[in-house]
Amino acid sequence: MTGAEIAAYIGAAAWLPIVFAWLYKVFVTPRVTIVPDEYPEIGFSTLGPIINVRMAITATRKPAVIDSIDLTLAHQDGESRKFHWSGMTEQVNQIVDATGNRQRIEKETNPIAFLVGVESVLEKFVRFQDRSFHQEMQPFLDAMVEKVHFSKKQNTYSRDAIMASPEFDNVKRGWARRFFWKAGKYTALFSVSSPSRLT
């Protein structure tokens, strides 16, 4: 083997780390793990059925951009509902004064996207809502708002008259029909999506 051939092999080998790094970046997908708090908060408000969960989120292999988190909740009788994240807060700091009182400083994050780094754990308080509730209730709410605006324009607005109207009754019945919480055991399944592939 000549010196020129040895130099050529060494030169080619110098490209190996770059090629391996490129292949790793292209073919290796991040693995995202969600660890929820033991006690989620559930409720029903004017936003419909809601679930609030404090959770830790981590990624392995490489960082991941998360642009959606869904929560599918299945009751033991087989009924299931899908909830989508509607907002989240993250504790940034905690202040303790001289008397021992603690005050948390939190940052509100819009549900657009966030980055989960490798070897780091994000702790988030995530709020979930049922999107189907908004889609089903919006026509009833629009009709009631139109009724209120019309009565104000005609100078006939009365709170009692609005509450006795069929539009308000439709909203009230709609909320009652969509209250689905019941006694029993629920199983939760989280799913995340990203602009890049995940496992």
Side-chain angles (χ1 to χ4, degrees):
M1 184 178 291
T2 66
E5 289 175 329
I6 292 172
Y9 285 126
I10 292 172
W15 283 96
L16 287 177
I18 296 168
V19 171
F20 285 141
W22 180 79
L23 289 173
Y24 185 86
K25 188 173 183 180
V26 169
F27 292 107
V28 173
T29 57
R31 176 171 286 164
V32 175
T33 303
I34 293 178
V35 181
D37 188 16
E38 190 176 355
Y39 301 105
E41 299 173 358
I42 63 170
F44 191 87
S45 69
T46 55
L47 303 171
I50 58 172
I51 303 175
N52 301 328
V53 183
R54 192 168 301 281
M55 60 177 64
I57 307 168
T58 185
T60 54
R61 298 184 188 162
K62 69 182 195 180
V65 174
I66 306 298
D67 64 0
S68 175
I69 304 176
D70 289 326
L71 169 62
T72 303
L73 203 64
H75 191 263
Q76 65 188 32
D77 67 4
E79 182 184 3
S80 67
R81 289 284 175 119
K82 189 171 187 178
F83 293 81
H84 189 73
W85 68 332
S86 62
M88 58 177 56
T89 56
E90 180 180 359
Q91 184 174 325
V92 178
N93 208 339
Q94 191 176 60
I95 299 172
V96 182
D97 63 17
T99 61
N101 293 325
R102 295 178 187 271
Q103 185 175 19
R104 290 189 297 189
I105 300 172
E106 296 181 332
K107 179 175 81 170
E108 181 74 23
T109 307
N110 290 327
I112 299 170
F114 63 94
L115 177 69
V116 182
V118 178
E119 297 180 6
S120 65
V121 176
L122 290 179
E123 289 186 24
K124 301 267 189 186
F125 183 73
V126 185
R127 296 183 303 278
F128 293 93
Q129 293 176 10
D130 182 0
R131 282 185 173 168
S132 66
F133 177 85
H134 299 286
Q135 294 164 354
E136 294 166 5
M137 287 298 298
Q138 199 58 51
F140 301 123
L141 293 169
D142 290 343
M144 193 179 77
V145 168
E146 190 176 323
K147 172 86 173 174
V148 169
H149 284 305
F150 181 77
S151 64
K152 285 185 175 181
K153 192 182 283 186
Q154 300 295 316
N155 289 328
T156 58
Y157 174 78
S158 160
R159 179 177 174 270
D160 293 334
I162 292 296
M163 291 184 73
S165 70
E167 291 83 1
F168 182 80
D169 189 56
N170 287 338
V171 170
K172 192 169 63 173
R173 287 175 186 269
W175 275 332
R177 279 193 305 269
R178 286 159 184 84
F179 185 91
F180 83 101
W181 297 116
K182 52 192 168 187
K185 182 179 178 181
Y186 286 92
T187 304
L189 176 67
F190 291 96
S191 59
V192 297
S193 68
S194 171
S196 57
R197 293 179 302 146
L198 296 174
T199 58

